Amino acid sequence: MRILLYLAIIIAGGFLGYWDKLPKGLTSKLSRLQFFSLLFLLFIMGLNIGLNKEVVNTFFKLGYQAVVLSIMSIIFSIAGVRIVAGIITKNKEDSENEC
Amino acid sequence: MSVSILIAVVTGILCGLFVFPETFSGQIGYMIDIGLCLLLFFVGIDIGRNKGVIDQIKSYGLKVLLVPLMVAAGSIIGSVAGGALLGLPFNESSAIGAGFGWYSLSAIELAKYNAQTSALAFITNVCREIFALLTIPFIARYIGKLESIAPAGATAMDTSLPVISRATDSNTAVVSFITGVVLSLLVPILVPVFISIGFK
């Protein structure tokens, strides 16, 4: 149910942004507002990590795991796009030739 | 930007260690929800204001969605494979991989599961973004333009976009933006789904 709430909020924001009904004062501060809500969240997340002494103690073990997981994710992502890249580029060239 | 991010997290950790009592952790979930709803609302407004995006999606056709789908599949499979090497359970490694480099959201989602997985998701996805920013120019040059979007994941629509744009061309930048949008929408859906596999 929480996922639906998140999606509803993104979509509601999307419609408000699309219709230009928002006051200029808000839209001009949008990136700043985003940035501050992000900082607030990051602070809370840090708080959550700091409150858990076990996590702090295993930080070095986590760092090694993080490097393995992120590199594997990147390698497999590149391989995945590699498989479909030919299809997308080929079709794009075809449509350009038609023009 | 990255300095402020680092400061916010470190301040939070230090406050958690020395300032706030351990009983405060009961309030965390509630505060995360408020902050996350705010952030998602602002991100929504940002996407809505970019009216050209819809026209670009139409001109490329639905095949362009293959890029985010393959990045999503590759990220999760890669993370599960890495997790298998490290002896991590499937639900944790797949959920961490489904963060697609959006470290704040994936870690926030997993904070409700447990703090250690949340921390690993955070560090893993921070590493992913750093590796992405470092490798994108080389991947664009030696492997391919579309492939250079892959390491960026969800950050392909914001922090990694300027790097991809400079290393490739405007068409790839549009695909990059679309990829970032699709992956960003998938993170809040897939992370809770994967972490709940076999978890009661």
Side-chain angles (χ1 to χ4, degrees):
Chain A
M1 284 314 287
R2 187 142 285 165
I3 299 161
L4 292 176
L5 173 72
Y6 294 160
L7 274 178
I9 286 169
I10 289 191
I11 291 165
F15 275 118
L16 281 175
Y18 190 80
W19 279 331
D20 281 332
K21 297 284 190 223
L22 293 165
K24 271 187 188 158
L26 179 68
T27 50
S28 62
K29 292 191 185 80
L30 202 60
S31 65
R32 186 168 288 192
L33 282 169
Q34 267 188 39
F35 185 56
F36 283 121
S37 8
L38 181 62
L39 287 186
F40 170 74
L41 278 175
L42 291 170
F43 172 76
I44 295 295
M45 214 169 45
L47 197 61
N48 201 30
I49 294 168
L51 285 170
N52 192 314
K53 307 288 183 281
E54 194 194 343
V55 173
V56 179
N57 293 336
T58 52
F59 194 83
F60 287 102
K61 189 188 164 204
L62 291 182
Y64 157 70
Q65 292 183 337
V67 171
V68 173
L69 291 176
S70 56
I71 289 177
M72 292 294 275
S73 272
I74 288 176
I75 291 172
F76 278 76
S77 299
I78 295 168
V81 175
R82 185 85 183 155
I83 294 167
V84 297
I87 305 168
I88 295 163
T89 355
K90 187 174 172 287
N91 285 339
K92 207 178 131 26
E93 278 162 6
D94 287 348
S95 60
E96 275 171 2
N97 291 340
E98 280 163 22
C99 296
Chain B
M1 174 89 183
S2 47
V3 175
S4 323
I5 285 168
L6 198 65
I7 291 171
V9 178
V10 171
T11 312
I13 293 174
L14 292 176
C15 285
L17 278 173
F18 304 113
V19 181
F20 288 86
E22 256 179 86
T23 49
F24 191 75
S25 53
Q27 313 294 320
I28 297 277
Y30 184 59
M31 296 180 77
I32 286 171
D33 273 340
I34 295 172
L36 191 56
C37 286
L38 268 174
L39 186 61
L40 290 177
F41 182 66
F42 295 134
V43 169
I45 294 174
D46 232 8
I47 295 172
R49 289 172 74 214
N50 260 299
K51 297 184 177 64
V53 173
I54 295 157
D55 292 333
Q56 285 289 359
I57 292 173
K58 281 180 191 161
S59 73
Y60 274 109
L62 284 173
K63 283 193 178 66
V64 75
L65 294 177
L66 283 172
V67 177
L69 286 180
M70 293 310 270
V71 174
S75 301
I76 295 164
I77 294 168
S79 188
V80 169
L85 292 175
L86 297 165
L88 291 174
F90 174 82
N91 69 325
E92 290 181 12
S93 57
S94 58
I96 290 167
F100 307 139
W102 192 354
Y103 47 83
S104 50
L105 184 63
S106 56
I108 289 155
E109 286 287 344
L110 292 171
K112 297 165 196 161
Y113 171 75
N114 79 47
Q116 184 158 337
T117 310
S118 170
L120 183 56
F122 182 80
I123 310 165
T124 301
N125 284 297
V126 167
C127 286
R128 175 166 184 165
E129 180 165 359
I130 294 166
F131 292 143
L133 295 172
L134 294 175
T135 58
I136 284 165
F138 295 99
I139 295 164
R141 190 166 175 182
Y142 296 108
I143 301 176
K145 288 175 182 172
L146 282 174
E147 287 87 338
S148 74
I149 300 169
T155 68
M157 66 180 274
D158 41 57
T159 43
S160 301
L161 186 57
V163 184
I164 293 170
S165 174
R166 206 180 312 152
T168 61
D169 50 40
S170 56
N171 283 333
T172 311
V174 174
V175 179
S176 171
F177 185 83
I178 295 168
T179 302
V181 171
V182 174
L183 290 174
S184 298
L185 290 172
L186 287 176
V187 175
I189 299 170
L190 291 183
V191 172
V193 166
F194 277 109
I195 199 67
S196 63
I197 293 173
F199 174 69
K200 295 273 147 64

